[in-house]
Amino acid sequence: MYGDTPSIQDPNTCNIYFEENRYLDKPYDMPLITLVTTPCHWLTATGGCTTCGYNLVSSLKDEISQQNLINQLNWTLEQIDAAKYPFITLTSAGSFMDKREIADDVRLKMLDILSDNGFKHLNFECRPEYLTNPKRLLKLHDHFEGSISVGIGLESSDDFIRQCCLNKGYKLGIFLKALDALKKTDISFDTYVMLGKPFLNRRENIEDAVNTINFAFNQGAEWAILMVANIQPYTLTNWLWRRGLYQLPSLWDAIEVIHRLPDDRKNMVLIKGVDKALPTPLTFSTTCPNCNEKVIDAIRKWNLTGDYNLLKECREFCNCWKEINDDFFKGTTLMERYSMICEQINNELLAGT
Ligand SMILES: [Zn+2]
């Protein structure tokens, strides 16, 4: 469960926590099940994304057998009853559709088990390069009777920001190719959008999140999930943060992003990462000690209801939203900052060897 992520985990159990969500237009606590699989291929191939700590919930050392994965699912079913939780997110430590993490026949067997147990909606998470083959996607429907959706971490619609600031490793063309395939298969998609990207100042972060959410909806996303950054151990953002070169966003910035969206799009955005995340972060984004809990509570209720008044009223709790430090990175362009910080990374890491 959240907050109790063991560093060495029984390979026959996995991580489960609940996220405030909506299902069939009603408030819903969604079980989010993260299977312990081999790590994301992007991590092992390149070092991975600059903010992601998911390697800590993968099996870096131990071999995970396909039987272990089935055992993990059966262990999950002992705790999650489909009658109470018809909608679940079941995903892996990287990409649910990557054969290196879950063999194709095992994934389909898992879907059979979920379908037989009465689950009605399955969501999973995946990088877009594993979503470009419609035939492979269509097979999922043969093994799961309910509806299916996938969450894709686009994070930014800007190639430079996604590629260079986040080291996400794919260009927009791959994302669009995945959407083309998904549209042929009746699998809907959600888009993850990060708020708090390294190298960007506050204004750029808010604007990039707004632009990316609008882009995602223009492409047909059902939901956008605004992921408020936190500090994960062993990440570049942690390294930068400790040197005063990275500042987490304020929770007020997340509310500002919603505020800037067209009214008919606001309530299709969930704000996540504010009080729970895998693995357990070193610190979360906050407001101030006087209002932080109240703002988090309002965001939780927002995720359950989509009632924008809950977010608007937050500003009455406290005046600290007027006092956010806008001077971080003042007077530099994104490119200047990027070059300067990369040079420092280079110098310090080389100096340390
Ligand atoms: Zn405050």
Side-chain angles (χ1 to χ4, degrees):
M1 300 296 278
Y2 166 69
D4 189 29
T5 308
S7 54
I8 299 168
Q9 183 157 346
D10 176 354
N12 298 308
T13 67
C14 52
N15 295 289
I16 303 174
Y17 68 87
F18 291 83
E19 284 201 327
E20 294 84 16
N21 212 317
R22 269 165 269 156
Y23 178 57
L24 304 177
D25 294 327
K26 291 194 180 118
Y28 182 73
D29 276 324
M30 184 198 67
L32 196 162
I33 300 135
T34 308
L35 298 166
V36 179
T37 58
T38 52
C40 176
H41 181 66
W42 182 243
L43 171 90
T44 49
T46 72
C49 303
T50 56
T51 61
C52 180
Y54 248 55
N55 55 318
L56 295 180
V57 295
S58 70
S59 171
L60 279 172
K61 289 180 189 161
D62 301 325
E63 196 67 30
I64 291 283
S65 71
Q66 300 301 307
Q67 184 59 47
N68 287 143
L69 294 175
I70 297 292
N71 293 348
Q72 289 181 33
L73 180 62
N74 287 331
W75 177 82
T76 299
L77 295 178
E78 288 169 15
Q79 299 164 72
I80 306 290
D81 180 2
K84 189 174 177 192
Y85 299 106
F87 162 29
I88 57 165
T89 291
L90 176 75
T91 200
S92 68
S95 288
F96 188 71
M97 293 295 288
D98 182 353
K99 295 175 198 174
R100 284 166 291 216
E101 296 181 51
I102 305 172
D104 279 352
D105 59 332
V106 173
R107 186 182 313 102
L108 297 177
K109 189 172 172 186
M110 286 180 156
L111 266 58
D112 284 332
I113 294 171
L114 290 171
S115 206
D116 291 347
N117 274 270
F119 289 96
K120 304 291 184 207
H121 183 92
L122 170 67
N123 175 258
F124 63 88
E125 294 172 7
C126 196
R127 287 175 60 89
E129 61 263 40
Y130 305 109
L131 300 169
T132 55
N133 180 344
K135 280 187 193 161
R136 222 171 141 237
L137 294 168
L138 277 168
K139 271 197 180 167
L140 301 179
H141 286 304
D142 295 340
H143 294 263
F144 187 77
E145 275 188 37
S147 52
I148 304 176
S149 62
V150 56
I152 308 172
L154 175 64
E155 314 305 350
S156 174
S157 53
D158 181 296
D159 270 341
F160 174 79
I161 294 173
R162 184 178 347 89
Q163 293 277 63
C164 297
C165 300
L166 294 175
N167 195 38
K168 198 82 188 174
Y170 72 83
K171 288 193 173 175
L172 203 56
I174 297 287
F175 177 77
L176 295 174
K177 199 173 170 191
L179 300 197
D180 277 347
L182 288 165
K183 280 167 192 165
K184 292 173 186 158
T185 62
D186 199 25
I187 295 175
S188 58
F189 73 96
D190 311 327
T191 303
Y192 288 88
V193 177
M194 169 160 284
L195 177 70
K197 294 164 182 119
F199 307 100
L200 277 64
N201 67 22
R202 181 177 175 230
R203 178 184 57 77
E204 291 161 346
N205 253 305
I206 291 171
E207 287 173 0
D208 187 68
V210 170
N211 292 342
T212 305
I213 290 169
N214 279 321
F215 174 84
F217 285 135
N218 290 343
Q219 297 301 322
E222 192 163 352
W223 296 90
I225 296 140
L226 183 65
M227 288 300 300
V228 183
N230 50 54
I231 301 286
Q232 295 284 345
Y234 312 113
T235 57
L236 180 68
T237 38
N238 181 25
W239 192 91
L240 296 173
W241 178 60
R242 289 176 187 282
R243 286 159 178 77
L245 295 169
Y246 175 72
Q247 176 177 265
L248 281 173
S250 164
L251 292 180
W252 292 118
D253 297 348
I255 292 170
E256 178 65 21
V257 169
I258 307 290
H259 175 66
R260 291 192 192 185
L261 292 169
D263 284 344
D264 61 344
R265 288 180 164 177
K266 285 182 169 64
N267 73 347
M268 301 312 289
V269 183
L270 304 172
I271 303 174
K272 296 291 173 74
V274 299
D275 62 345
K276 40 188 172 274
L278 268 183
T280 307
L282 300 172
T283 185
F284 285 102
S285 295
T286 58
T287 54
C288 86
N290 294 332
C291 68
N292 198 47
E293 271 309 309
K294 283 186 187 171
V295 172
I296 288 175
D297 190 52
I299 289 174
R300 283 194 203 110
K301 286 177 180 152
W302 157 260
N303 289 335
L304 289 167
T305 63
D307 177 1
Y308 182 55
N309 287 326
L310 289 161
L311 298 185
K312 271 202 299 196
E313 287 162 8
C314 275
R315 290 191 172 181
E316 292 162 22
F317 297 158
C318 193
N319 282 326
C320 69
W321 61 274
K322 296 176 186 167
E323 296 154 16
I324 300 171
N325 173 19
D326 263 329
D327 291 342
F328 204 70
F329 289 146
K330 197 177 181 185
T332 52
T333 65
L334 174 57
M335 287 309 292
E336 286 167 351
R337 248 173 274 141
Y338 185 76
S339 301
M340 179 198 59
I341 295 172
C342 283
E343 196 174 333
Q344 183 168 345
I345 293 167
N346 194 35
N347 289 342
E348 283 205 39
L349 291 179
L350 282 176
T353 56

